Amino acid sequence: MAALLSKNNKAGQAACLPRHIAIIMDGNGRWATKRGLPRTAGHKAGAEAFRRIATYCKNLGVQYLTVYAFSTENWKRSADEVGAIMVLLKKYLLEAIDTMEKDQIRLKFFGDMTPISPEIRALAHETDEISDHLPEQDFQANICLNYGGRDEILRAVRTFAAECAAGEKKPEDLDETIFSSYLDSRGIPDPELIIRPSGEQRLSNFLLWQCAYSEFYYTDTLWPDFDEAELDRAIVAYQSRDRRFGGVKK
Ligand code: FPP
């Protein structure tokens, strides 16, 4: 497969493998409705697709995979649907606690965890601790939970402003690198590739700061049907892009 072959390309070349891929896992509801199933069945199939794609990313040599599991706006959904997504997350966290050390998978959460149930927060804390004991070069999955790009930026600004008010920081010291260190994604490179399945072509408050120079890949495939071949297509499309970062082609 082309994506597998390109793993051997030299880092820094336009055709190399993205180090960080981010995915908006969209289309679960439509996938279920098309089959006459409840929307929650779509989320269950979506969680399976996440497991499949995370494993594939790890095997390919992608270092970071960030997925949008639950946005700050998703609380508007029915209590049943929100509850079902939380149950799937809990199930995944329990599995991860048992397997991440053996599989060498680090797991982190982006988002404001305050309104998340104490049970899920405790499990996330556990996966966080396990991750901190795994080598930093191991594959890392980031799950965005109660996440919004605007909310992430606001939380960072509030923290920095409070440090200025306490006399610990000076506003004029702030630059892009320092600001990035206040974000949930601190220490992680920006995603080179952002994928949105299901035919929608918008960012929906995902990684607003981090996407400044990301390449976007859209596909009509619904997330539960997104497979390894589809990820290969996204990576091959990425490898054909001419990334100039505001400069001109040499
Ligand atoms: C968007 O599709 C999907 C969500 C809001 C939830 C995603 C959650 C999971 C895949 C399950 C838990 C995740 C993990 C990591 C174990 P949609 O419901 O908006 O689809 P639609 O646009 O077709 O209605």
Side-chain angles (χ1 to χ4, degrees), residues 167-222:
E168 295 159 12
K169 291 277 157 58
K170 291 205 285 288
E172 57 272 26
D173 292 341
L174 192 63
D175 61 17
E176 290 186 11
T177 308
I178 295 175
F179 187 70
S180 297
S181 73
Y182 285 81
L183 296 171
D184 299 334
S185 58
R186 66 188 75 88
I188 298 170
D190 290 341
E192 291 92 345
L193 173 62
I194 296 186
I195 299 172
R196 182 163 193 159
S198 93
E200 309 291 354
Q201 300 195 359
R202 58 178 169 265
L203 206 45
S204 302
N205 208 6
F206 189 44
L207 303 177
L208 296 184
W209 172 273
Q210 298 85 345
C211 75
Y213 282 101
S214 303
E215 298 295 328
F216 290 83
Y217 178 83
Y218 299 107
T219 168
D220 288 338
T221 302
L222 302 172

Side-chain angles (χ1 to χ4, degrees), residues 25-30 39 43 46-47 50 69 74 77 85 92:
M25 303 188 290
D26 197 13
N28 297 345
R30 277 164 285 169
R39 293 178 57 81
H43 296 314
F50 164 71
N74 285 151
R77 298 184 178 212
I85 293 172
Y92 179 72

Side-chain angles (χ1 to χ4, degrees), residues 18-126:
R19 198 171 157 205
H20 183 179
I21 296 179
I23 305 183
I24 301 175
M25 303 188 290
D26 197 13
N28 297 345
R30 277 164 285 169
W31 182 92
T33 306
K34 266 172 63 181
R35 287 163 177 75
L37 298 169
R39 293 178 57 81
T40 50
H43 296 314
K44 185 164 181 271
E48 288 307 320
F50 164 71
R51 284 182 181 83
R52 211 166 50 231
I53 293 302
T55 304
Y56 190 54
C57 281
K58 177 182 181 274
N59 293 341
L60 277 179
V62 172
Q63 198 183 350
Y64 300 97
L65 171 70
T66 301
V67 292
Y68 210 177
F70 194 84
S71 77
T72 43
E73 288 74 35
N74 285 151
W75 297 105
K76 293 175 196 159
R77 298 184 178 212
S78 74
D80 275 1
E81 185 169 343
V82 172
I85 293 172
M86 296 301 161
V87 166
L88 288 166
L89 277 162
K90 180 181 156 190
K91 184 168 179 273
Y92 179 72
L93 281 164
L94 287 167
E95 267 169 44
I97 287 166
D98 281 346
T99 57
M100 56 198 284
E101 249 170 323
K102 172 176 65 68
D103 295 344
Q104 292 173 294
I105 293 186
R106 288 155 54 92
L107 187 63
K108 293 278 171 177
F109 282 85
F110 293 180
D112 174 9
M113 299 291 273
T114 335
I116 304 298
S117 76
E119 190 185 19
I120 290 186
R121 284 208 320 257
L123 294 171
H125 181 70
E126 226 177 301

Side-chain angles (χ1 to χ4, degrees), residues 9-17 245:
N9 288 351
K10 276 196 210 130
Q13 282 184 348
C16 70
L17 194 69
F245 301 96

